[in-house]
Structures are given as C-alpha cells and as structure tokens.
Amino acid sequence: RLVPLLLLLGPALGPALGQSLGQTRFVCTSVPLDGDVCAASALGTGSAEELKGTVLQLRETVLQQKETIMNQKETIRELTAKLGRCESQSVLEPGEAKGRKGFAKNTMGDLSRPPAAETLSQLGQTLQSLKTRLENLEQFSRMNSSSQTNNLKDILQNKIDDLEKQVLSRVNSLEEGKLSPRNESEERGKIESTLTSLHQRISDLEKGQKDNRPPDRFQLTFPLRTNYMYAKVKKSLPEMYAFTICMWIKSNASPGMGTPFSYAVPGQANELVLIEWGNNPMEILINDKVAKLPFVINDGKWHHICVTWTTRDGVWEAYQDGTQTGNGENLAPYHPIKPQGVLVLGQEQDTLGGGFDATQAFVGELAHFNVWDRKLSLGEVYGLATCSSKALAGNVIAWAESNIDIYGGATKWTFEACRQLN
C-alpha cells in the first residue's frame, strides 16, 4: 500500500515526512497504463473503496497535525516578541535595589522584584493560550495512537520545554531590583501556577498516565536554577531541642547544588538551613550559626544524607549513605529550634516564606525528606540509607505527597533510588 499512499499524500506530507522519517527509501512498482493504481497495490488485501477511505483519513490526520505544529510555532513567536518588548521596557528605578534588613547573615544579597503588572499579565495570557493548545493536543493524541502522532507529541514537547526555559530565564532577569507590591505578587503566583500545570501535563504526555504509586514513592525535580521553582511543606516545625533530618538527594550542579531546604521563622530567616553555595562546602545553619558538613555528593548520583543535632552543647553528626562522616559541637548551643515558621524545599529564604535568590536555588532531585524531634541511632540511619522495609518515617515531617505543595514548574516523578537498591 506504500505506493498509492505516497502518491496521494505526497503534497500534504512534505515537511512532516522529512522531519520525522529522516532518509526515506521508496519502492517503485510498474503498473499498466490502463490499470488501477490502488487496485494493483492492494494485492488483494481490501477493496479500492476501503483503501481510498483509509487514505483520506490519513491525509486528514496529517493536515491536522501540520496545523497544530504551525499554531505552536506561532505561539512561540508571539511569546518571544512579548518577552523582547518586556525586556526593552523594564528599567530599574534609581535606588530601588537594597539589601535585606533585620537579619544577621545575608545569604541572599539584594532582594528581587517581578516585572510590572502589565508585563506579568501579558505573560500570563500567553502561557494560558499555550496551555489551551496543549490540552487540544492531548485530546488529539488520545484519539490517534499512530507513530506519526507520537513523533508530533515529542516535537511539541521539546519546543515547549525550550520555551519554558526561555520564559523562566528572561522573567528572572527582569526581576532583579526590589520586592513587588502585593498585587504583583498575586499576579506572579497565577503565572507560576500555570507553569506548574503546563509542566505536569508535559510530564504526563511523556510518561503516560500517573501510576498508582504509594504516597511516599515520589521525588521532586528542580531542573533549572531560578527563583520560581520550589516546594513548600504544609506543616511548620514545633519547638525542638534535638532533631534528625534525612533525605535522598541527587545533583551535579556547579558551582554548588544550592539549597535543599530552608526553615525561616519571624525575625530569623536562617533558623535552619542546608546550603551549598558557590565553591563552599555544604553547610548547615542554625540560628545563623554555621557548621561545615563533610559531604561528597555532587556527582549526579543518588545519595542518602542525615544530620543530627542536640541543643545541649550544640552537638551535631553528619551521615552519608548510612555511614557517619563527621561530627562537631558548639553549633547554636542551648538554642531550641523555634516553631511557627515556613519550611521550603529548593530555595533559601531571605524573608519569611520568600526572598528567593536564583543563585542559591537547589538544582537536582530530592526525595524522602523526613524530620524527627530526636537523634536517630546509627542503626536507624543505616536502615533509611539501605531502604529497609522497617525504616521509620519522620515523626515531625513525614515524606508524603499530601504534605507538599509545588510551585513554579518543579515536578513530581516516581522515586527510583530505593527500587534500584532492592
């Protein structure tokens, strides 16, 4: 059937065949001058009318796919033009950039501001349009399961991924300056929500429908160094006189993987922070006091890390992959961890629940973030690092999808590290 299909679809396929099939080899069959091309090629497999109906259906499918690609290209051109205008119109007012006030350790630097509300509104409208077209593509994909439709899906996903990186990068560059008014923050939140939904839809297209995984069998992915992507733990920490914090972590970001988590309370943005910034070793901050941790984990592989601490004498211990790698004392001694704060994954807070700086953002993957209000034993830590079925969940913060909200395009995937170990 290849010969009549190519004869009838040649004008419509054109560029689509060139892109998806690469170098194509055609088979030629001689047909008498008075013969029926379709009948000669069918070789007894179906009537000419049935074959013509199939051809017409395929031609309609190709035309619809071609139209979808053209619409996506137009959307990308629209958004690129708007971003260009936004950049040219965005000018910082003199004296607007100021450092933060009221905190002992400035781990962020200058605060940032979003672009004007008009700029954010334009971006929001364009992203909403892109999201609508993506929903149309999903519906079309469900109706057509051909290999050519799958190729189209992959092409569009790559383009949208590139577009999202461009949006995040350019909007981030527009935000350097100062904090925004409340109404602009709300507008930015809408855009972040759209980005999050768009990213999740693309993930579903790539991996299929969400699997029925256990509530703790997931990981967070932060693919870009921006001040938009983060996750927020719904619960705050209680007052604690000791703690153990453990997680699985994977990154090869350079320089420094950024901030896996930060906990801020009113009056102290650095109540409890884990950060690897620039070329410095990973550090843990408690009430702005610092201890350097002997972790070697920036190799693109999964590692399990734990940090324990007690307020008495400020004694701390560090564990990597189930083995103690360091310890010390006099880290914020006799200072209990304060309650009623905000716990964020993936960003360093310079104000309560905000003030993020892209240079300190975490880049990589994170899973099984658990918090206990006591010091775990070596055996308990080892059980966590080896994915033991008897491993404990945090009695203060337990890793579960219902306990985490994600923003700005950070995504959830099924956690694989423990499956590989077992």
Side-chain angles (χ1 to χ4, degrees):
R1 298 183 182 181
L2 178 60
V3 174
L5 288 180
L6 290 175
L7 289 174
L8 291 171
L9 294 180
L13 285 174
L17 281 175
Q19 291 176 2
S20 62
L21 297 180
Q23 295 181 349
T24 307
R25 184 172 59 187
F26 300 95
V27 178
C28 299
T29 303
S30 61
V31 179
L33 292 176
D34 58 347
D36 187 337
V37 175
C38 291
S41 303
L43 298 178
T45 59
S47 68
E49 290 300 323
E50 291 178 347
L51 184 56
K52 287 179 181 178
T54 302
V55 168
L56 291 175
Q57 183 179 4
L58 285 173
R59 174 182 286 180
E60 182 65 22
T61 298
V62 170
L63 290 176
Q64 289 178 358
Q65 292 174 352
K66 187 175 181 181
E67 181 181 358
T68 303
I69 291 176
M70 295 304 295
N71 288 339
Q72 293 294 342
K73 288 181 178 178
E74 182 62 29
T75 299
I76 292 173
R77 283 195 293 268
E78 273 180 27
L79 186 52
T80 301
K82 287 183 179 181
L83 287 170
R85 289 198 297 272
C86 292
E87 287 178 318
S88 63
Q89 294 172 2
S90 178
V91 179
L92 291 179
E93 297 179 6
E96 284 186 337
K98 297 179 182 179
R100 71 176 188 177
K101 298 180 180 179
F103 300 110
K105 183 179 179 66
N106 186 351
T107 58
M108 178 191 171
D110 290 342
L111 296 171
S112 61
R113 71 177 179 95
E118 180 181 356
T119 298
L120 291 171
S121 178
Q122 289 176 343
L123 287 174
Q125 292 172 5
T126 306
L127 288 173
Q128 185 61 45
S129 173
L130 186 60
K131 180 180 176 182
T132 301
R133 288 179 175 177
L134 182 59
E135 289 172 347
N136 293 336
L137 173 64
E138 290 175 330
Q139 184 177 2
F140 184 72
S141 296
R142 286 192 293 269
M143 297 171 60
N144 300 272
S145 59
S146 66
S147 60
Q148 198 168 64
T149 300
N150 292 331
N151 289 337
L152 172 66
K153 177 190 68 178
D154 294 337
I155 291 171
L156 290 177
Q157 184 191 318
N158 290 335
K159 288 185 177 180
I160 294 173
D161 283 345
D162 292 340
L163 177 63
E164 185 189 17
K165 291 179 182 179
Q166 182 183 26
V167 170
L168 291 172
S169 175
R170 293 194 180 186
V171 172
N172 183 54
S173 67
L174 290 172
E175 286 204 341
E176 296 176 355
K178 68 170 190 176
L179 283 175
S180 64
R182 182 174 180 179
N183 59 337
E184 293 187 11
S185 296
E186 293 174 353
E187 192 71 22
R188 186 183 73 173
K190 294 177 182 177
I191 293 177
E192 291 176 353
S193 177
T194 302
L195 276 173
T196 300
S197 177
L198 174 61
H199 215 302
Q200 197 62 51
R201 288 292 183 87
I202 294 172
S203 301
D204 290 341
L205 277 176
E206 183 180 51
K207 287 201 162 187
Q209 296 300 316
K210 188 176 179 181
D211 52 351
N212 296 320
R213 60 190 177 212
D216 66 339
R217 190 67 60 82
F218 75 102
Q219 68 191 49
L220 299 179
T221 298
F222 304 89
L224 301 173
R225 198 182 292 277
T226 76
N227 61 356
Y228 279 94
M229 293 186 180
Y230 66 101
K232 185 176 179 181
V233 180
K234 294 180 181 180
K235 290 179 58 179
S236 178
L237 298 179
E239 185 173 65
M240 295 190 300
Y241 294 85
F243 68 72
T244 300
I245 299 177
C246 297
M247 72 196 79
W248 283 91
I249 198 166
K250 177 182 178 182
S251 179
N252 59 1
S254 179
M257 69 175 63
T259 309
F261 77 88
S262 64
Y263 176 68
V265 297
Q268 176 55 279
N270 297 318
E271 181 69 6
L272 180 54
V273 181
L274 184 67
I275 184 171
E276 184 183 74
W277 188 26
N279 295 316
N280 301 312
M282 184 167 282
E283 299 174 338
I284 187 164
L285 282 67
I286 299 178
N287 192 33
D288 259 335
K289 308 303 185 293
V290 182
K292 298 184 184 300
L293 303 177
F295 291 143
V296 182
I297 55 180
N298 196 0
D299 57 3
K301 299 178 181 179
W302 280 108
H303 293 281
H304 187 265
I305 61 173
C306 287
V307 178
T308 71
W309 172 86
T310 56
T311 185
R312 181 170 182 173
D313 296 325
V315 175
W316 61 269
E317 295 176 347
Y319 295 83
Q320 178 176 329
D321 299 325
T323 302
Q324 183 176 330
T325 58
N327 61 78
E329 58 183 18
N330 202 33
L331 175 58
Y334 304 102
H335 170 83
I337 302 298
K338 296 178 181 178
Q340 306 304 316
V342 177
L343 181 56
V344 168
L345 306 178
Q347 295 283 353
E348 192 275 333
Q349 302 174 68
D350 199 49
T351 60
L352 187 65
F356 305 145
D357 180 5
T359 64
Q360 296 176 331
F362 173 69
V363 180
E365 297 167 81
L366 186 150
H368 283 264
F369 177 87
N370 286 276
V371 181
W372 294 261
D373 58 3
R374 64 181 179 86
K375 176 184 174 182
L376 294 188
S377 68
L378 175 60
E380 290 172 325
V381 171
Y382 184 79
L384 292 166
T386 54
C387 301
S388 169
S389 59
K390 298 180 181 180
L392 303 172
N395 68 330
V396 175
I397 301 294
W399 186 248
E401 291 197 61
S402 59
N403 294 338
I404 305 289
D405 288 329
I406 57 176
Y407 301 92
T411 56
K412 292 179 181 178
W413 304 87
T414 301
F415 181 59
E416 300 291 346
C418 280
R419 186 180 299 176
Q420 296 169 8
L421 289 176
N422 291 331

